[in-house]
Amino acid sequence: MAINYENKKFLEELLLKADVAGSDYYFKMEKEVFVQAMEGDEDEDFYKEYLKQREVGFEVYQNQVKEEFNQILSSEELHFFASEYNYDGGNFLLEQVILHHLCDIETTKLIYWFLSPTYIYEKYGSLENCPKEDYICYDDLRLLMKMEEKVKNKEFKTGLQVEKNECVIEMIEETDFSVEPFVNVPEDLRKI
């Protein structure tokens, strides 16, 4: 996957912005608490982005980041996001990747398996059975369900050549798709 230096810089900046856009933690803080929490980080890019988020508003900032996603011009760039993202940072960025018209099935598989669908399937029997009260799983399951639906409808691009992720390969190989509840995982998400 060849991404030139300028594009990589843009993508890394957008990765940071998406991380900020996906969290209202610093946005909801009282000003004094925010200043104290960020003391010593005033020159850092993340501080500047959180400050911008607080100035323009949470939803406005999210919409600005979504608009920047429209500048993504390749499936490779989207895969870069899925590969470099800290999956503990919420699903805002991942949803932007999945909803992008250039998202490839290889990127989708990476995101899908990193969200640990087998855990939710084992715990609840299906994605639909996960209660809202299990807010961590529930947030992931909404994205997992979107991916499964889009895969069933053949809405993802195909043909992206990327190095296969060993963790994803292992998760797929360890899952017995012939038994409930894993028979419900779409065929295209099972392929290595």
Side-chain angles (χ1 to χ4, degrees):
M1 177 170 40
I3 297 176
N4 68 39
Y5 176 76
E6 280 186 31
N7 277 3
K8 188 172 183 184
K9 187 172 179 344
F10 166 76
L11 296 175
E12 288 171 345
E13 289 170 1
L14 188 51
L15 190 62
L16 170 64
K17 290 176 183 179
D19 194 37
V20 171
S23 173
D24 64 0
Y25 179 76
Y26 290 106
F27 180 78
K28 288 182 173 181
M29 280 185 178
E30 295 293 327
K31 183 179 180 179
E32 299 78 30
V33 177
F34 175 76
V35 169
Q36 186 177 17
M38 291 290 186
E39 187 174 340
D41 293 324
E42 294 84 2
D43 293 332
E44 300 291 336
D45 290 337
F46 66 84
Y47 169 80
K48 294 171 186 168
E49 291 304 319
Y50 281 116
L51 194 59
K52 182 178 177 184
Q53 180 193 51
R54 291 172 62 84
E55 289 170 357
V56 300
F58 188 76
E59 289 181 19
V60 171
Y61 186 85
Q62 273 193 333
N63 289 333
Q64 289 172 351
V65 173
K66 287 178 184 179
E67 284 299 315
E68 287 192 46
F69 262 87
N70 292 333
Q71 297 177 36
I72 301 299
L73 301 175
S74 72
S75 298
E76 290 82 7
E77 292 173 339
L78 292 170
H79 197 80
F80 171 83
F81 286 120
S83 300
E84 297 295 317
Y85 186 62
N86 175 354
Y87 281 71
D88 292 333
N91 292 340
F92 176 80
L93 175 131
L94 301 174
E95 187 169 18
Q96 304 319 303
V97 171
I98 293 300
L99 295 176
H100 199 285
H101 70 280
L102 294 175
C103 186
D104 189 273
I105 189 67
E106 292 299 323
T107 303
T108 304
K109 281 193 287 192
L110 181 68
I111 294 171
Y112 184 84
W113 289 103
F114 274 10
L115 290 178
S116 301
T118 52
Y119 173 79
I120 298 173
Y121 270 113
E122 286 172 348
K123 187 169 182 177
Y124 296 110
S126 76
L127 298 179
E128 295 83 5
N129 290 340
C130 179
K132 289 181 181 180
E133 294 76 32
D134 187 347
Y135 64 92
I136 293 173
C137 287
Y138 189 77
D139 191 40
D140 288 348
L141 92 85
R142 292 182 310 113
L143 191 54
L144 290 166
M145 289 174 68
K146 279 183 190 176
M147 285 186 278
E148 285 189 3
E149 187 64 29
K150 287 185 74 161
V151 166
K152 289 174 187 173
N153 293 329
K154 304 285 187 199
E155 295 180 33
F156 292 107
K157 293 183 70 61
T158 58
L160 180 64
Q161 299 296 312
V162 294
E163 187 175 324
K164 304 292 183 185
N165 182 286
E166 291 299 320
C167 292
V168 171
I169 291 170
E170 188 177 320
M171 286 185 268
I172 292 172
E173 288 178 342
E174 290 177 355
T175 304
D176 184 355
F177 297 108
S178 67
V179 299
E180 289 288 342
F182 307 115
V183 295
N184 297 313
V185 175
E187 187 70 35
D188 287 341
L189 292 172
R190 304 175 188 187
K191 296 176 185 172
I192 295 176

